[in-house]
């Protein structure tokens, strides 16, 4: 069987943009509109975010996910404060130290299980509060869904927010894949409201790029007072796009008619199909059913090399021999059938 398209399972970041997003960009490419967000697409986008969250929020659009996280943290942090996050978090591992460099703030990585941190770990880290020799925990940052393709339950988020708020910390959610987590919960848009609004999260980086957008992210402030400074900080952290309408138009295409949940739900379903197709080919316990759109098989290193020369994917945890296969809004059952045939061939030989 021929291989699936190049990098078909490398990342949802490797996927193109949804055709409806490209259509929306073409429509927005019509004449002049005021720059920096003073345009009808941005107004529409902001009101769509209010509708989706079921409450008035302040939405600041951003250019990329690292920038959105830096902007959110910049708005939530006070001087001499630190960010508590998981040891596997994107802000800790994969942002080239941007939060530390740009914000001049320490990140305090906490031990995690499957990318999730526990209430006890947060309480322990808050032992530093009041000690003038220690950076003061000021923000708790959680990733939903996590870098390990797991999800915090609504109750877990609620409990983490409660201990954080009780100690004076603000809470940020890195929701680069929030759509996948909400789709996995299966309660439609209500799931987002339960997960983010009812739990008391202060601000969320709401991802678009991994869910069919060409390149667009948003920082949504539930605690709107915190957004007052963010309006200025956005320019300072290089996230104020002048032709904002092209970012807004992408989000409008994704948020209208709850498409964001359909697209992420499809990616999640394709990961389940990928798991079903490949689990019988691997030793028991070498791959677990996905919660969202990624699976993490343990593979023999030589087989993994052969397989990814044929269809590329990333290492994940070299200490445990785990790799990552990820699906996207555009993954097809045929891609999976072809990939599984390759896995069968390589592991069988
Ligand atoms: C959890 C998480 N947060 C944020 C990002 C955003 O990263 P980027 O700056 O590449 O858009 C990513 C991208 O992989 C991610 O996985």
């Amino acid at each position: 069987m021929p291989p699936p398209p190049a990098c078909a399972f490398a990342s949802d970041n490797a996927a193109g943009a949804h055709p409806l997003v490209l259509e929306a960009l073409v429509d927005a490419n019509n004449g002049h509109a005021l720059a920096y967000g003073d345009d009808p697409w941005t107004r529409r986008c902001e009101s769509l975010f209010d509708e989706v969250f079921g409450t008035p929020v302040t939405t600041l659009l951003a250019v990329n996910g690292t920038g959105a996280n830096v902007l959110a943290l910049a708005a939530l942090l006070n001087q001499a404060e630190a960010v508590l996050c998981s040891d596997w978090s994107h802000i800790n591992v994969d942002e080239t130290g941007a939060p530390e460099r740009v914000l001049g703030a320490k990140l305090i990585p906490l031990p995690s299980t499957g990318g999730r941190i526990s209430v006890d770990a947060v309480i322990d880290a808050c032992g530093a509060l009041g000690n003038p020799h220690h950076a003061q925990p000021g923000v708790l940052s959680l990733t939903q869904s996590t870098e390990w393709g797991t999800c915090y339950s609504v109750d877990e988020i609620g409990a983490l927010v409660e201990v954080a708020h009780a100690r004076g910390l603000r809470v940020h959610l890195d929701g680069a894949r929030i759509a996948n987590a909400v789709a996995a919960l299966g309660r439609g848009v209500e799931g987002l409201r339960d997960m983010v609004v009812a739990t008391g999260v202060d601000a969320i980086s709401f991802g678009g790029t991994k869910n069919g957008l060409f390149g667009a992210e948003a920082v949504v402030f539930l605690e709107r007072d915190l957004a007052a400074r963010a309006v200025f900080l956005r320019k300072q952290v290089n996230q104020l796009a002048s032709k904002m309408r092209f970012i807004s138009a992408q989000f409008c295409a994704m948020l209208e008619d709850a498409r964001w949940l359909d697209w992420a739900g499809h990616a999640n379903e394709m990961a389940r199909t990928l798991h079903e197709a490949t689990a019988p080919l691997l030793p028991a316990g070498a791959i677990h059913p996905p919660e969202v759109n990624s699976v993490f098989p343990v593979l023999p290193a030589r087989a993994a090399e052969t397989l990814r020369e044929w269809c590329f994917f990333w290492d994940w945890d070299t200490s445990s021999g785990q790799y990552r296969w990820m699906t996207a809004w555009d993954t097809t059952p045929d891609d999976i059938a072809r990939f599984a045939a390759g896995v069968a061939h390589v592991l069988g030989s």
Side-chain angles (χ1 to χ4, degrees):
M1 226 188 239
C7 328
F9 297 98
S11 176
D12 43 15
N13 256 340
H18 194 285
L20 288 174
V21 173
L22 293 180
E23 237 175 66
L25 283 170
V26 171
D27 287 348
N29 191 34
N30 184 11
H32 286 215
L34 288 181
Y36 303 112
D38 196 1
D39 65 77
W41 292 269
T42 305
R43 294 291 89 77
R44 171 85 187 124
C45 179
E46 288 164 349
S47 75
L48 279 169
F49 270 110
D50 288 350
E51 276 173 36
V52 165
F53 280 89
T55 186
V57 293
T58 298
T59 301
L60 296 186
L61 298 178
V63 178
N64 59 40
T66 298
N69 284 340
V70 169
L71 171 59
L73 296 175
L76 300 187
L77 276 171
N78 294 315
Q79 274 182 357
E81 285 186 341
V83 180
L84 305 181
C85 55
S86 101
D87 47 1
W88 273 91
S89 63
H90 199 267
I91 58 172
N92 185 47
V93 178
D94 277 317
E95 298 189 355
T96 326
E100 287 100 328
R101 175 169 179 160
V102 177
L103 307 175
K106 186 175 173 62
L107 296 189
I108 302 179
L110 305 182
S112 60
T113 309
R116 285 181 301 232
I117 50 185
S118 66
V119 162
D120 285 346
V122 174
I123 293 173
D124 278 357
C126 286
L129 284 168
N131 184 332
H133 305 288
H134 291 182
Q136 297 296 285
V139 173
L140 170 65
S141 180
L142 309 170
T143 310
Q144 177 80 328
S145 49
T146 72
E147 291 76 3
W148 272 101
T150 58
C151 296
Y152 291 94
S153 70
V154 169
D155 287 347
E156 284 169 336
I157 296 179
L160 284 157
V161 172
E162 198 178 317
V163 293
H165 280 174
R167 287 158 182 77
L169 279 66
R170 277 75 61 206
V171 179
H172 164 245
L173 219 59
D174 177 350
R177 296 191 180 86
I178 189 69
N180 301 88
V182 175
L185 199 58
R187 293 213 296 274
V189 74
E190 287 301 328
L192 177 74
R193 297 170 187 170
D194 292 348
M195 207 181 267
V196 181
V197 184
T199 54
V201 166
D202 295 298
I204 172 173
S205 307
F206 192 107
T209 311
K210 295 171 188 0
N211 194 23
L213 302 196
F214 180 72
E217 306 289 317
V219 183
V220 178
F221 290 90
L222 290 303
E223 186 46 68
R224 302 184 77 191
D225 290 348
L226 294 166
R229 272 187 318 140
V231 171
F232 308 105
L233 292 165
R234 178 168 54 173
K235 183 91 177 193
Q236 289 195 328
V237 301
N238 304 327
Q239 291 296 309
L240 181 63
S242 72
K243 295 195 180 176
M244 183 87 77
R245 65 173 141 152
F246 296 108
I247 296 191
S248 313
Q250 295 179 61
F251 263 117
C252 291
M254 185 182 91
L255 294 176
E256 269 155 12
D257 302 325
R259 289 184 196 123
W260 62 291
L261 289 175
D262 292 343
W263 298 350
H266 173 84
N268 292 354
E269 190 190 327
M270 288 297 100
R272 286 193 294 275
T273 307
L274 177 62
H275 172 262
E276 278 159 24
T278 54
L281 309 171
L282 296 165
I287 187 168
H288 296 288
E291 287 183 46
V292 282
N293 64 326
S294 46
V295 288
F296 298 87
V298 176
L299 299 171
R302 273 240 307 269
E305 280 316 312
T306 311
L307 195 52
R308 67 182 172 185
E309 269 167 33
W310 174 76
C311 183
F312 182 80
F313 53 88
W314 294 103
D315 285 341
W316 203 246
D317 184 0
T318 43
S319 69
S320 58
Q322 277 174 289
Y323 298 83
R324 187 187 70 178
W325 296 337
M326 190 169 245
T327 52
W329 67 268
D330 63 344
T331 306
T332 67
D334 184 57
D335 297 340
I336 293 171
R338 289 201 251 163
F339 189 71
V343 174
H345 177 75
V346 169
L347 292 179
S349 57

